[in-house]
Each structure stands twice: as C-alpha cells, then as structure tokens.
Amino acid sequence: EVQLVESGGGLVQPGGSLRLSCAASGFIFSDYYMYWVRQAPGRGLEWVGRTRNRYNIYTREYGAAVQGRFIISGDELQMNSLKTEDTAVYYCARGEISREWYIDYWGQGTLVTVSS
Amino acid sequence: QSALTQEASVSGTVGQKVTLSCTGNINNIGSYGVGWYQQISRGAPKSVMFGNSLPSGIPDRFSGSKSGTTASLTISGLQPEDEADYYCSTWDHSLRAQVFGGGTKLTVL
C-alpha cells in the first residue's frame, strides 16, 4: 500500500527556515517523480516543486513563488527566507509512473505557519 | 490568477449528471492530459481522474474527456458524497510548471 506521510510543519517567524519531510512507503521512491503542493488558508492548490526520478537524474523544478528559496532534496523540502504568504498546508504527492504529470497519491499534509 | 480556468461553483441534485470544465492553452491542456482531484472539506486531495482513465477504486460514474484546450470531468448519477472541491491540473511545458485550476465547488442539492 502506497503511503505518504509529511512531517516537520509548525510555526516559524518571517525570514526563518523550516524543513519538511515526506516518509514514503509501499513503492520504490527513486522510480517516481515526487511533488510538493501547498494550499494557503481559503485558497486553492498551488504547485511548489517536483523532483524527477532516477532515470531523469533527479532534476528538480520549482514554482515561481518559491524559486531560489525552497530546495527539494530527496524526500525533504527545505524552506528558507520564509514569508507570511508561505503559510499553507504542504502536501507531498507522487506522480504516476508513466505519466508523471498525473498525481496519483497524496499525503495528509502538514501545516506551516509563518508569523511573528 | 490560475493558469487553468474552472467554474467557481456547480450544483446538481442527487442522480443528476454534472460536468465540470477546465480551460487552458496549447502549452498545457493542448499538450498533456488533465488530472482531476477531489478535496472534501479541505482534507487531503484525492485523485479521481487521469485524462479519461479512472484511478483504482474510483466509481465509474466519473468520466473524463478533452477537446483541444478544454478538459471536462463528468459525474453521472450524482451522489451526496460527491460534494467537494474539484481541481484540474497538468504540466505546462512553456512555464515548466505544474499548473492548477482555481477549483470548482460542487454542491449536491
């Protein structure tokens, strides 16, 4: 059974850093594209970034809102220079094996609050 | 402003057929299939359609289609448990980004 469990969320001050983790089980992690998607309070889903699989040398791509501040490394999302607008529930998700732009499994999410 | 455009809200009665739409451009929907994601009461999203194929465990009253740069999710025989927010998403090769629609709130009357 595929499972994705995020952890590491919490309260952080503006300008601070936080690292989220995605514990994956039930599949070979390196075979899949992995996504991070967030949802701010009262808003819709927003793509944060993704890492490609081992066949695509783990290339990473990021959304414009987080480019240069967030880094995906394996099963972790390192968030730096956090802003109040980064407050959101962050989801780890998996891309389908052969059509990676489809997200087939989602974690339950972890809440990040950026506030002074 | 989202790269993909969805209706803000759609409603239907139990047993009715409803169709949600998602409009993009040649760089996203025109080039890739569209995924549809159901979110009930702000819980974790759940995948309900990949293009025109059903993920495992999703009832066959859900169906998907695409014409040009518009994708659709149709629910035939609407059920109370279908009430949720629905998001469409795909890859945009020009933006080099995964793009989402703003979401459609489906109300079952």
Side-chain angles (χ1 to χ4, degrees):
Chain A
E1 179 192 6
V2 172
Q3 284 195 317
L4 299 169
V5 180
E6 303 90 340
S7 62
L11 175 64
V12 61
Q13 293 188 335
S17 298
L18 204 61
R19 181 180 299 166
L20 306 183
S21 295
C22 174
S25 60
F27 65 100
I28 299 173
F29 189 85
S30 58
D31 283 351
Y32 290 81
Y33 283 49
M34 297 300 297
Y35 290 77
W36 288 92
V37 176
R38 69 184 181 183
Q39 186 171 36
R43 305 292 296 273
L45 300 175
E46 178 187 20
W47 179 63
V48 172
R50 73 176 186 181
T51 179
R52 300 188 182 209
N53 58 19
R54 57 177 167 156
Y55 308 109
N56 291 278
I57 57 172
Y58 302 112
T59 304
R60 291 156 289 186
E61 293 151 311
Y62 301 92
V66 307
Q67 178 75 47
R69 299 187 297 122
F70 289 15
I71 298 171
I72 298 173
S73 178
D75 58 4
E76 294 183 335
L77 176 66
Q78 176 68 40
M79 304 185 295
N80 301 319
S81 302
L82 282 161
K83 306 175 182 180
T84 55
E85 52 263 42
D86 294 320
T87 294
V89 175
Y90 284 74
Y91 295 101
C92 166
R94 190 185 83 167
E96 200 199 36
I97 187 73
S98 57
R99 299 172 295 180
E100 64 277 359
W101 61 90
Y102 294 142
I103 294 173
D104 58 2
Y105 287 93
W106 300 74
Q108 87 290 347
T110 186
L111 176 63
V112 172
T113 303
V114 184
S115 175
S116 55
Chain B
Q1 189 169 348
S2 303
L4 305 180
T5 301
Q6 298 183 250
E7 302 95 342
S9 62
V10 170
S11 62
T13 57
V14 173
Q16 191 176 7
K17 181 172 77 173
V18 295
T19 298
L20 283 58
S21 70
C22 175
T23 301
N25 60 41
I26 194 169
N27 297 313
N28 44 61
I29 295 179
S31 300
Y32 298 89
V34 173
W36 290 88
Y37 308 99
Q38 177 193 65
Q39 187 179 40
I40 298 174
S41 300
R42 302 289 288 186
K46 177 182 179 181
S47 306
V48 295
M49 186 61 58
F50 301 146
N52 59 7
S53 58
L54 280 170
S56 174
I58 302 302
D60 60 7
R61 64 176 181 273
F62 287 83
S63 62
S65 63
K66 185 176 80 168
S67 177
T69 57
T70 297
S72 299
L73 177 71
T74 297
I75 308 173
S76 303
L78 198 60
Q79 297 299 306
E81 59 265 31
D82 298 332
E83 184 163 289
D85 293 324
Y86 290 83
Y87 295 89
C88 60
S89 179
T90 190
W91 182 255
D92 187 305
H93 65 77
S94 176
L95 296 174
R96 295 188 62 78
Q98 186 81 10
V99 291
F100 284 88
T104 295
K105 182 177 182 59
L106 174 62
T107 301
V108 181
L109 303 171

